[in-house]
Amino acid sequence: MMGNGVQQNSLAVSKLLPGSVIGVLGGGQLGRMIALEGIRLGYSFVTLDPTPNSPLGQIAEQLTAGYDDVEAARQLAAKADVITYEFENVDAGVAKLLEEQSYVPQGSKLLYTTQHRLREKAAIEAAGVPVAPYREITSLADLQSAATELGLPCVLKTAMGGYDGKGQAVLRSEDELEPAYKELAASNTELVLEKFVKFACEISVIAARTPSGIVKSFPPAENVHVNNILHLSIVPARVSNEVQRKACQLAERVAEGLGAVGLLAVEMFVTEDGELYVNELAPRPHNSGHYTMEACSTSQFEQHVRAICDLPLGDTTLLSPVVMVNVLGQHLAEAVRSFANEDELAESLGVVPKLHLYGKHEAKHNRKMGHINLLCGDVEAALEWVEKMNIWRQD
């Protein structure tokens, strides 16, 4: 392998020092933010992405090709000392090829598990961590009997694919079962039915694990979704210290159980009585961890670089309360306008807004274009700023 001249394989535990080349499958905003932190530390980056001049490609070398392009994958392997991915829907065959020809500390097994909801749930349960009751669905008859067994409401999801609410349907009555089954089964993927957990709030924990097995987690974020897209992450989460402590323990247990390397985002439901159920995993930096960029001693992106390079993990102490708010396509113009003018409201509330834009070329409705981290003395002040600004009005 070429890259920085370091011969590696995916079974090796190797410390990769600054000066090494990090290859990234995917050139989106997560890859861009990984690279911004990695470049600061002295690493170089190369990405494989089908979109010319991708957000990461704007600041790093880019191989413009499809994720299933074997030749392009071989080029990436030749250029990089270590390879990571910025989203989980990577072609598993390409990931396996890269694992054979390069050093992919996250491995293809973790991708194989987290790309499929049934495999993911089984792995979480195997780690001794609770998930909401669920059933595999292979026919309409399966769905009807499972809905009776679990009780409505339930959520029917495709086992693979789907994000930001796509590939799923909430079922509240028996007459919704057949149309939902026909719509989702048309995607030719397996289905899973999940019992609808009556939750007080949703939280997530970003855990990091090195190839050497060292694990650290960030403080839990309380997440608020609008139209199935993350709107706000609130830190500290407005749950008890005991729930926060338990959430970190569960996330770290899942990371260890799956043998994760790099970051693992663990999303959970919190019930009224403080019980926790893991809902979903993402083996990469996560939208709900963006708050770490200014509010923690180490950002999730620096931590990911440290983890995959087997460097000591950074301190995850929260330095300031913070609220992260997403900037979607319909919010972009007003968010930029607000940033470019004096913000008397923020000053009066003691809120410090930090704008991050992703370098995407087209501002589409509901497309994530950036985010704002609101550093504050009290999260309620930051939430008041979000409410009073005329940016996130419902449309």
Side-chain angles (χ1 to χ4, degrees), residues 158-201:
T158 56
M160 297 186 72
Y163 64 95
D164 289 345
K166 298 177 177 66
Q168 61 180 267
V170 178
L171 307 176
R172 295 182 174 84
S173 63
E174 287 186 17
D175 59 4
E176 294 177 331
L177 301 184
E178 186 170 352
Y181 177 79
K182 286 180 177 177
E183 180 183 348
L184 295 183
S187 62
N188 293 317
T189 181
E190 298 163 87
L191 302 178
V192 56
L193 186 70
E194 298 175 5
K195 183 176 179 62
F196 192 89
V197 175
K198 190 175 180 182
F199 56 88
C201 66

Side-chain angles (χ1 to χ4, degrees), residues 135-179:
R135 298 290 182 271
E136 180 179 0
I137 303 300
T138 58
S139 67
L140 179 58
D142 271 356
L143 176 59
Q144 290 165 334
S145 62
T148 300
E149 188 180 350
L150 296 177
L152 296 175
C154 282
V155 185
L156 184 65
K157 299 180 179 179
T158 56
M160 297 186 72
Y163 64 95
D164 289 345
K166 298 177 177 66
Q168 61 180 267
V170 178
L171 307 176
R172 295 182 174 84
S173 63
E174 287 186 17
D175 59 4
E176 294 177 331
L177 301 184
E178 186 170 352

